[in-house]
Amino acid sequence: MKKSGWTLLSDKREDIERFARDYIDFISYAKTERRVVKYILEKIKGRDDLFVVHNRSKALAIYRKGKRRLTDGIRFVAAHIDAPRIDLKPVSVYDDEQAKVALMETHYYGGIKKYQWVARPISIVGTVVKEDGTRVDIEIGEDEEDPVFTFADLLPHLARKVQYSKNLVEAIPGEKLDLLIGSYHEEKKEDEKEGFSIKKYILDIIKEKYGIDEEDFVSAELEVVPSGKAREVGFDRSMIGAYGHDDRICGFASFRAILDADKTEWPSVVILFDKEEIGSDGNTGAQSFFLEYATLKIMEYEGINRDPLLLRDILFKSQAISADVSAAVNPEWKEVHELKNAPLMGHGIALLKYTGHGGKYGANDAHAEYVALIRRIWNRNNVPWQPAELGKVDEGGGGTVAKFLSRGGIDTIDAGPPLLGMHSPFEIVSKVDLYSSYLAYRVFFEEE
Ligand code: MN
Ligand code: MN
C-alpha cells in the first residue's frame, strides 16, 4: 500500500524543490502565529477572489467561491499555526544577586522536552502592546548581527546528583528555564549608595532600544524560540529541518493550495487556528466559535441571509481535512510504532482515520464513507499518501482540532505530513511529504 512519494512524483522534482524553497523562506520567518498571519495577508494581497475573516491577528479564515452554492456545504482545510515554545512571564526581568547575571522568567507553552531547549541560541520574537495601545513588534536574535539569548545548562561535572539521578522530565524543571540576558557589571562610584543592578542596566537598554518599560511586559506576547533559519537536511537534501513545522507546515500547504487551485468545485475555506498546542481553548482556538463566525461572515459576503439555522445546515453538509502533522517512524525508536500502520518519511501525506489515545479515547474517527471519498480523490490525482496511526495502541497518543471541527456536523478526517523529532526545536520533514500535502489539500478543493 505504501509507495515512495519520490517514485510517484518522479516527474515533479522541480516543482517539489521550488515549493520547498518557498516553504523554507516562510518557516524561517514565521516564528510566531502573528507572523504566519502577516505573511499570508501579504501574499494574498490583490487576490480579489479571496475573502478573509481575521481573528485578532492570530487566527484566520480564507474563503474562495466554489462552482457549487454555499448552501450545498463547504470544504474546509483546518490547520493550527501556534507551535510549542517558551513564553516570558508578565514579571520577567530579574538579576541574580549571587551569580551576578540578569535573567528572564519564562513559562513554557505546549508539550516541549525541556532538555532540548537548553544550551542553544535563542531568539525573542513577538509583540508588546503599550498601555496606550501602541504595538511594538520585536525580533531579537534572528539577524546575524543581533545578539542571542540562551538557557545555560549545568556542566556534566556537577550534574551527577541534581540531574543524572532524575528522569528526563524532572532533570530540568520548568522554573529553571530562565533565559540568560545580561552580565555587565561595572562598579561605579555613583552606584555605591544604591548598589549596581544588572536588572536596571538591562531594563535601561530595553527602554532605550524598544521604548518598553518593565510594566509593558505584562501586556506582551514575546515568544522565546530557537534562533536561525530552516535548513536542508541530508547529503541528498531530501529533508527540511526547522522550528515550527507542527503545524505551520499545514498552514502553508493549505494556504498555497487554496491560492493555486485551478478551480474550486466546492466553496472552499482554509481556516488557521491558534492555541492547539494547549488544548484549543481561547477565542482564537478551535474550541471557540470562530469557524461558525467565519462561516456567517462568508454567508454575509455571498448575500445570503445570516440565518443561524441555515448556518447549522451548511456546516452539517460540510467536509473537512484536519491538517496536522503526524509521527514518522523514528529509526532509533521503532518500538513505539506499530510498523504496518506507522507513516514513513518520503511516502506521502499520512491519512489518519482517527487519533486519540488508549482505545481511541478523544478521537474524531472519520466515517468509512468519507475516508473512501478522500482516497478516491487522492488516487485519481496521483497524490502520494499513506494510511497511518499515531504510535502503538496504549503507547501514548495525541489529538488534533478534528474533534472540534466535527461538532457542528462536519465530516472530518486528519491528514498531514509525517515528521521526525516533532515538538523539538528542529523538526524534520521530507520535501516530498510537504509537496504531497499541498497536492492533497489542493485536489480536495478542486475535485467533486
Ligand atoms: Mn499539530
Ligand atoms: Mn503539536
Side-chain angles (χ1 to χ4, degrees):
M1 224 175 329
K2 288 179 175 145
K3 277 195 210 104
S4 162
W6 297 107
T7 309
L8 278 169
L9 297 179
S10 59
D11 60 333
K12 290 258 184 333
R13 286 297 290 273
E14 268 174 47
D15 293 347
I16 293 169
E17 290 300 331
R18 197 174 318 120
F19 197 82
R21 279 198 296 276
D22 289 352
Y23 177 66
I24 286 172
D25 287 345
F26 160 80
I27 199 69
S28 297
Y29 167 78
K31 297 247 170 150
T32 66
E33 41 286 66
R34 286 173 191 265
R35 282 192 159 194
V36 176
V37 168
K38 206 170 152 194
Y39 176 95
I40 290 177
L41 291 179
E42 193 60 44
K43 291 285 172 193
I44 63 176
K45 253 186 202 156
R47 284 284 300 251
D48 300 331
D49 58 330
L50 301 174
F51 173 67
V52 175
V53 185
H54 301 254
N55 189 352
R56 293 163 177 87
S57 308
K58 291 158 86 176
L60 199 67
I62 307 166
Y63 166 70
R64 189 169 157 186
K65 250 183 220 297
K67 223 166 81 190
R68 300 189 199 218
R69 290 173 311 168
L70 190 60
T71 46
D72 293 335
I74 296 169
R75 284 228 172 128
F76 290 95
V77 176
H80 67 91
I81 55 176
D82 63 322
R85 61 173 188 261
I86 298 175
D87 288 336
L88 297 180
K89 287 191 187 181
V91 178
S92 186
V93 181
Y94 74 97
D95 55 9
D96 189 298
E97 270 300 312
Q98 284 111 20
K100 302 292 183 197
V101 291
L103 301 127
M104 274 173 161
E105 289 281 358
T106 69
H107 194 144
Y108 64 96
Y109 172 100
I112 64 165
K113 289 162 99 177
K114 293 181 224 83
Y115 72 85
Q116 294 175 338
W117 288 71
V118 297
R120 57 157 49 238
I122 292 288
S123 297
I124 299 176
V125 185
T127 300
V128 179
V129 183
K130 294 177 66 67
E131 193 181 354
D132 65 2
T134 324
R135 263 186 6 192
V136 185
D137 287 329
I138 286 182
E139 180 203 280
I140 315 162
E142 293 293 284
D143 191 286
E144 301 254 309
E145 300 294 310
D146 282 353
V148 294
F149 309 95
T150 197
F151 300 105
D153 199 5
L154 184 61
L155 65 170
H157 315 64
L158 297 178
R160 208 160 51 135
K161 259 189 252 154
V162 292
Q163 283 188 322
Y164 289 172
S165 65
K166 301 200 167 130
N167 67 36
L168 271 179
V169 178
E170 289 160 357
I172 299 172
E175 282 298 349
K176 286 196 195 287
L177 278 184
D178 288 358
L179 198 62
L180 184 65
I181 57 165
S183 71
Y184 185 76
H185 185 191
E186 183 186 347
E187 275 137 353
K188 287 195 189 121
K189 263 264 172 308
E190 58 266 34
D191 295 323
E192 256 166 29
K193 239 194 298 162
E194 287 175 39
F196 177 83
S197 152
I198 308 174
K199 171 183 171 176
K200 190 180 166 299
Y201 182 70
I202 296 290
L203 282 173
D204 286 346
I205 295 176
I206 294 173
K207 173 78 181 174
E208 192 196 309
K209 271 210 96 154
Y210 306 101
I212 296 164
D213 296 307
E214 190 179 11
E215 198 185 284
D216 292 330
F217 282 95
V218 174
S219 51
E221 287 169 357
L222 292 172
E223 303 185 6
V224 167
V225 294
S227 325
K229 291 183 161 54
R231 302 292 295 267
E232 291 178 303
V233 175
F235 285 116
D236 56 4
R237 297 171 182 264
S238 62
M239 298 167 277
I240 301 167
Y243 161 70
H245 285 324
D246 178 10
D247 184 35
R248 293 174 185 144
I249 192 167
C250 294
F252 183 80
S254 58
F255 132 75
R256 283 288 300 265
I258 200 167
L259 223 67
D260 297 351
D262 290 329
K263 60 177 171 81
T264 36
E265 173 68 22
W266 292 84
S268 299
V269 171
V270 166
I271 187 160
L272 305 176
F273 292 110
D274 177 27
K275 302 274 192 287
E276 194 274 344
E277 297 294 354
I278 54 168
S280 295
D281 295 298
N283 63 4
T284 48
Q287 293 210 60
S288 74
F289 298 118
F290 178 50
L291 185 139
E292 286 78 357
Y293 175 76
T295 308
L296 281 170
K297 292 311 256 186
I298 292 163
M299 288 165 75
E300 186 181 32
Y301 171 77
E302 288 292 8
I304 296 170
N305 181 17
R306 289 193 297 168
D307 173 10
L309 295 179
L310 182 57
L311 167 70
R312 292 259 180 118
D313 200 44
I314 291 174
L315 293 182
F316 201 85
K317 289 188 222 164
S318 293
Q319 295 170 330
I321 292 177
S322 160
D324 207 342
V325 297
S326 60
V329 171
N330 186 311
E332 309 292 345
W333 301 97
K334 283 189 213 116
E335 61 267 39
V336 303
H337 303 283
E338 187 270 283
L339 295 174
K340 294 183 288 306
N341 285 284
L344 305 173
M345 290 287 279
H347 285 63
I349 187 171
L351 180 73
L352 284 85
K353 187 174 183 294
Y354 50 85
T355 57
H357 55 88
K360 296 195 178 181
Y361 188 85
N364 159 67
D365 209 350
H367 303 294
E369 290 83 351
Y370 185 51
V371 185
L373 169 78
I374 299 291
R375 269 175 65 198
R376 194 158 65 237
I377 292 175
W378 289 353
N379 284 338
R380 202 158 51 197
N381 288 282
N382 198 38
V383 175
W385 67 277
Q386 43 184 335
E389 239 196 359
L390 183 67
K392 272 184 180 165
V393 178
D394 294 337
E395 191 65 51
T400 63
V401 299
K403 60 178 172 181
F404 309 124
L405 297 176
S406 59
R407 275 180 183 163
I410 305 174
D411 262 323
T412 306
I413 190 160
D414 282 293
L419 302 186
L420 287 173
M422 194 203 292
H423 279 211
S424 79
F426 197 66
E427 303 176 299
I428 312 292
V429 71
S430 157
K431 286 178 180 174
V432 79
D433 296 337
L434 162 65
Y435 192 76
S436 302
S437 303
Y438 159 71
L439 281 184
Y441 306 145
R442 185 174 160 167
V443 296
F444 180 65
F445 291 139
E446 288 175 340
E447 290 277 314
E448 295 243 347

